[in-house]
């Protein structure tokens, strides 16, 4: 898979049902390759469920998501190795140290060209915590680790679910800088509770009600 061309998405009549209850239905929109899209909605609006379907992590109940890289359709089975995904309280490996976790991650995924494990550690501002087990980090430190792994991994698209969750004011400023400097050449899709600092200015928006 050509890692240079970013991912495009086309969503048609998409719906998600839990039991008998529809949480999303009849969604139609597209995400242009290399662009940014904000999925906006209040808590409980279904934006996290939508993001997981766009990532191929959860199946839809109806409709379809088409992933394209240039003229090539990307299969859902191949998507996991082509994207970066980050959500609050996602499953980090708590018994590994920070340094071990970064090394383990890059056994399975390639870092961005010119990036290595030490740069990811520096990106997360965790050099002084490299020998600390992940379970002993604060929630903000774990969020910085998860975001740094997502941004420093070679991928066609970044899917971020409320990325400033658990971050204090300094951490939110850190995230804005990260987003400004590490998204070039990739598609960005951000699920947000109307937090303007979680996506670039001028980003196209799709609002769930």
């Amino acid at each position: 898979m050509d890692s240079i061309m970013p991912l495009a998405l086309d969503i048609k009549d998409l719906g998600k049902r839990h039991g008998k209850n529809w949480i999303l239905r009849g969604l139609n929109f597209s995400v242009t390759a290399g662009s940014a899209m904000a999925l906006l909605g209040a808590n409980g609006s279904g934006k996290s469920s939508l993001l997981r379907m766009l990532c191929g992590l959860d199946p839809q109940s109806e409709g379809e998501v088409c992933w394209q890289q240039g003229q090539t359709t990307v299969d859902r089975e191949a998507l996991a190795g082509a994207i970066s995904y980050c959500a609050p309280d996602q499953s980090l490996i708590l018994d590994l140290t920070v340094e071990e976790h970064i090394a383990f991650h890059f056994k399975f995924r390639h870092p961005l060209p010119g990036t290595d494990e030490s740069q990811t550690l520096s990106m997360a501002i965790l050099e002084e915590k490299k020998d600390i087990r992940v379970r002993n980090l604060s929630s903000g430190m774990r969020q910085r680790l998860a975001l740094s792994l997502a941004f420093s991994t070679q991928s066609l698209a970044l899917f971020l679910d409320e990325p400033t969750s658990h971050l204090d004011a300094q951490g939110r400023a850190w995230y804005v800088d990260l987003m400004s400097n590490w998204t070039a050449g990739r598609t960005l899709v951000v699920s947000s509770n109307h937090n303007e600092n979680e996506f670039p200015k001028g980003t196209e928006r799709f609002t769930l009600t």
Side-chain angles (χ1 to χ4, degrees):
M1 189 178 297
D2 186 348
S3 61
I4 296 175
M5 300 178 67
L7 195 70
L9 300 92
D10 190 24
I11 292 85
K12 297 179 180 177
D13 298 321
L14 192 68
K16 182 68 175 179
R17 181 175 61 190
H18 287 166
K20 295 182 179 180
N21 297 319
W22 289 93
I23 59 172
L24 297 167
R25 201 168 195 189
L27 303 185
N28 292 275
F29 63 95
S30 60
V31 183
T32 304
S35 70
M37 169 71 77
L39 308 176
L40 303 179
N43 293 335
S45 62
K47 59 186 183 297
S48 293
S49 294
L50 174 56
L51 189 72
R52 289 182 62 85
M53 287 189 287
L54 299 188
C55 291
L57 297 176
D58 292 341
Q60 63 269 27
S61 301
E62 66 179 13
E64 61 183 60
V65 181
C66 180
W67 300 279
Q68 292 282 138
Q69 188 189 15
Q71 300 301 313
T72 303
T73 298
V74 180
D75 293 333
R76 180 179 173 186
E77 290 75 17
L79 197 64
I83 66 170
S84 294
Y85 171 75
C86 183
D89 302 315
Q90 72 180 64
S91 298
L92 296 172
I93 305 173
L94 300 181
D95 285 333
L96 295 181
T97 68
V98 171
E99 193 169 48
E100 289 170 343
H101 201 300
I102 294 171
F104 182 77
H105 176 85
F106 286 122
K107 284 184 178 180
F108 301 95
R109 297 296 302 271
H110 295 295
L112 286 175
T115 306
D116 58 20
E117 295 172 16
S118 63
Q119 191 166 359
T120 301
L121 182 66
S122 176
M123 180 189 294
I125 321 176
L126 290 172
E127 299 97 324
E128 296 183 358
K129 303 289 185 180
K130 66 179 183 178
D131 297 321
I132 300 297
R133 294 189 187 278
V134 173
R135 71 167 62 254
N136 294 323
L137 298 176
S138 69
S139 59
M141 290 176 182
R142 288 197 296 271
Q143 184 70 356
R144 290 207 312 267
L145 174 60
L147 284 166
S148 296
L149 288 170
F151 275 91
S152 63
T153 295
Q154 185 171 319
S155 57
L156 308 179
L158 289 155
F159 293 87
L160 309 178
D161 190 0
E162 298 190 2
T164 61
S165 294
H166 305 308
L167 298 180
D168 58 15
Q170 185 177 7
R172 292 191 293 272
W174 166 86
Y175 166 76
V176 170
D177 183 68
L178 193 70
M179 181 177 57
S180 299
N181 292 300
W182 290 86
T183 56
R186 294 187 279 183
T187 303
L188 176 66
V189 182
V190 180
S191 167
S192 176
N193 192 358
H194 298 278
N195 185 337
E196 298 284 341
N197 292 321
E198 291 188 323
F199 45 89
K201 291 181 179 179
T203 293
E204 189 173 354
R205 307 175 186 204
F206 185 84
T207 302
L208 298 169
T209 56

